[in-house]
Amino acid sequence: MTPFTAAVDGLATDVQLPDGDGPFPAVLVRTPYDRQRHRAELRGWARRGFAAVAQDVRGRHGSPGDWRPYENEAADGAATAHWIRQQPWSDGVLVASGGSYAAHCALVLALDAPEGARPDAVIAAVPALGSAETARESSGVERLASRAGWWAAHGDRPDSDEEALAKALARDPGLLTHLPVDGLPGRLGRDLPSWPGLWRQRERGRLVARAQEAGMPLLAVGGHHDHFTEDTVALWRRWGGPSARLLTGPWGHGLVAGPGPDAEPGHRVSLGDLYARWARRALAGDLARGRRGAVGLGGSRLWVGAGLEGAPYAPVLRPMHGISFSADPQRPVRSDELTVPTDGTPDRCLFLTPPLPRPLDIVGDAEVRLRATAETPSADWAARLVAVSPEGAAERLAVGIVRRADPVGRPAEFAVPLGRLARRLAAGTRLRLELAGHHFPAHARNPHTGDDPVTATRLVASRREVDPAGVALRLPVLRSRPAPTDPVQEVLR
């Protein structure tokens, strides 16, 4: 296998060729996270007969220019695809592959590049679809901690410091509490000119809408504990190519390298081998048409078909405390703690179910419906679902948050989506539902004044009232034990 480095339109590019004379099909990974970290991946592709290419995006690591996230990737990817197809070692067939931001690069090459530059197949793992999708929930609530961590590590710099936010928090544990949010660069002690502009990005769903026009096969891979899970599934559902495959398991953003607490040994998958086998079948046109895939059921060893959805089920909810509570942004409910305070003024409304009489298989979209009142012109409503084992151990299952601007003091009825679940709960488990006004630091605090949370400097408390009779938890529950499937067979079918 022969490795070499090239400059493609000035961008640093590593190439690993298989043994033999070729020509070969090619795989392209474009990344802001240092192409050299993909050397083992390139060797793996080459061993399987693919010419493997990794490239630093413009302005990052070995590539010159200005680093502007999400701005140059379609044009730069198209130039690289043209270059690959002109090489004597290329047979003209190209797979665009990547995870997170690199998945964004693969998708815009497939959907935004000129027709002659587009790849013949796409592998998109935990895809970051765009600035707006990464910065905010679909309801508009700002994802603070994850964006602060990413921008501190990678924003407006040619290299990366993965521990930048952790080091800053060690110096100032209250770093993310300081206002305004858009003043974070000064508190980090370095320039981040793109940070304020991130929060002005509000156009969501563009790539998912464009996915209907796709003309090539897709393999979408995600984790149930990844904050881009819904985007991954939406992409698979809307993909217009001849075939679309979905693989999701009880993993975080690192996929099999970041298993969740509900992962089992049976959820280990050799993704590298699966990607290569899928690519071969996709390029040969050997995949069945339509959407298929597999979902790993956390808390069990089972994999089930990706199209499986549970029927609505509403467990009995018993109010425990906090029917009236104060959402105080000076003392917000924290996203990184599951302990519920038992003294003082309630900061959340708490419900608990009786112990489950039998195991429960939850597969699909969950939500909370409620009737509630806020005494401020703007109010966030965060719903957190927690599983409490018979031994008393608490584990977060899902979180949803919406922003409301209902008339002050008037009850409103609305839903809080909890996202997709794929989980088996053991008999004896109790479900704890928390309704709060904040979920910090995962999400920025609503100041409750109607001002933009990113630029606000004044915070006020918000009195809340929840009607217990108007609260319902809706879970997608399988009525019978699901038929098991083999994830590799489903992806390759």
Side-chain angles (χ1 to χ4, degrees):
M1 297 184 290
T2 306
F4 63 92
T5 299
V8 181
D9 198 23
L11 305 182
T13 307
D14 286 349
V15 180
Q16 181 88 43
L17 298 181
D19 293 331
D21 295 331
F24 311 103
V27 175
L28 171 62
V29 179
R30 303 190 64 253
T31 177
Y33 304 125
D34 191 355
R35 74 192 190 284
Q36 297 185 54
R37 296 169 64 176
H38 290 268
R39 285 176 173 173
E41 180 184 353
L42 299 192
R43 290 194 295 269
W45 280 108
R47 282 196 300 271
R48 294 168 174 87
F50 290 83
V53 182
Q55 182 180 80
D56 289 330
V57 301
R58 188 171 300 278
R60 293 286 288 170
H61 297 280
S63 291
D66 295 326
W67 163 227
R68 295 192 176 98
Y70 302 99
E71 289 190 16
N72 300 310
E73 309 312 351
D76 286 346
T80 305
H82 281 307
W83 178 84
I84 290 172
R85 288 183 167 127
Q86 292 168 358
Q87 303 309 300
W89 42 261
S90 168
D91 66 2
V93 175
L94 177 64
V95 179
S97 178
S100 194
Y101 189 96
H104 172 84
C105 294
L107 288 167
V108 294
L109 179 60
L111 301 174
D112 290 345
E115 189 68 35
R118 294 181 181 180
D120 301 284
V122 179
I123 299 171
V126 289
L129 296 184
S131 292
E133 287 88 350
T134 61
R136 299 176 186 273
E137 304 292 348
S138 58
S139 64
V141 178
E142 300 81 7
R143 291 170 168 160
L144 176 60
S146 66
R147 292 302 87 197
W150 195 89
W151 244 256
H154 312 293
D156 298 295
R157 58 187 299 163
D159 57 358
S160 294
D161 181 359
E162 301 283 356
E163 301 301 318
L165 184 62
K167 289 185 286 191
L169 287 168
R171 295 190 301 268
D172 178 7
L175 177 76
L176 297 180
T177 67
H178 300 311
L179 298 176
V181 169
D182 66 2
L184 176 68
R187 296 187 289 275
L188 289 173
R190 72 178 185 86
D191 290 336
L192 274 175
S194 65
W195 174 254
L198 166 68
W199 306 107
R200 293 192 288 270
Q201 303 296 322
R202 293 182 177 273
E203 181 194 1
R204 294 180 57 90
R206 189 188 68 82
L207 278 182
V208 170
R210 292 293 304 276
Q212 298 177 88
E213 305 167 15
M216 70 289 292
L218 168 75
L219 172 57
V221 183
H224 306 153
H225 304 291
D226 174 45
H227 41 284
F228 300 147
T229 302
E230 280 70 42
D231 292 339
T232 306
V233 175
L235 185 72
W236 169 72
R237 284 177 169 166
R238 298 288 290 275
W239 196 258
S243 65
R245 297 293 180 265
L246 177 71
L247 181 73
T248 63
W251 313 312
H253 197 62
L255 297 177
V256 294
D262 53 335
E264 300 284 338
H267 294 127
R268 294 173 185 155
V269 177
S270 176
L271 291 180
D273 183 66
L274 181 60
Y275 289 176
R277 293 176 65 186
W278 174 87
R280 284 288 183 192
R281 292 185 62 80
L283 296 176
D286 291 338
L287 296 173
R289 298 186 67 85
R291 295 175 181 83
R292 296 179 183 274
V295 175
L297 197 63
S300 79
R301 294 172 294 176
L302 279 180
W303 289 86
V304 298
L308 191 66
E309 295 279 337
Y313 167 71
V316 174
L317 293 173
R318 295 173 177 169
M320 304 302 292
H321 75 258
I323 300 306
S324 298
F325 69 93
S326 177
D328 187 349
Q330 300 286 6
R331 291 178 289 277
V333 171
R334 292 192 61 88
S335 57
D336 50 4
E337 296 177 0
L338 291 180
T339 302
V340 178
T342 57
D343 56 355
T345 303
D347 63 355
R348 73 199 81 184
C349 179
L350 188 67
F351 293 84
L352 199 64
T353 70
L356 296 177
R358 60 178 179 83
L360 208 63
D361 291 332
I362 307 172
V363 181
D365 296 317
E367 70 172 12
V368 177
R369 295 180 180 266
L370 66 151
R371 184 165 56 247
T373 306
E375 298 293 339
T376 49
S378 178
D380 289 356
W381 291 89
R384 181 163 66 184
L385 185 63
V386 176
V388 182
S389 73
E391 296 75 31
E395 179 189 341
R396 186 180 69 178
L397 292 181
V399 172
I401 186 167
V402 299
R403 179 159 295 159
R404 303 283 300 180
D406 299 305
V408 173
R410 292 187 186 177
E413 296 186 5
F414 52 94
V416 182
L418 294 176
R420 293 190 63 78
L421 294 174
R423 178 66 187 265
R424 172 170 291 173
L425 299 175
T429 300
R430 293 181 297 168
L431 297 177
R432 187 175 82 204
L433 175 64
E434 303 171 33
L435 303 175
H438 300 96
H439 186 245
F440 176 82
H443 297 92
R445 294 166 294 172
N446 190 325
H448 299 141
T449 59
D451 294 333
D452 185 343
V454 175
T455 58
T457 57
R458 184 173 69 93
L459 307 175
V460 300
S462 175
R463 189 71 180 165
R464 308 291 177 91
E465 296 281 342
V466 176
D467 179 358
V471 177
L473 172 63
R474 300 196 174 185
L475 300 175
V477 173
L478 302 181
R479 299 302 190 192
S480 59
R481 283 296 176 94
T485 190
D486 183 297
V488 173
Q489 289 183 4
E490 283 297 319
V491 169
L492 299 179
R493 184 174 299 177

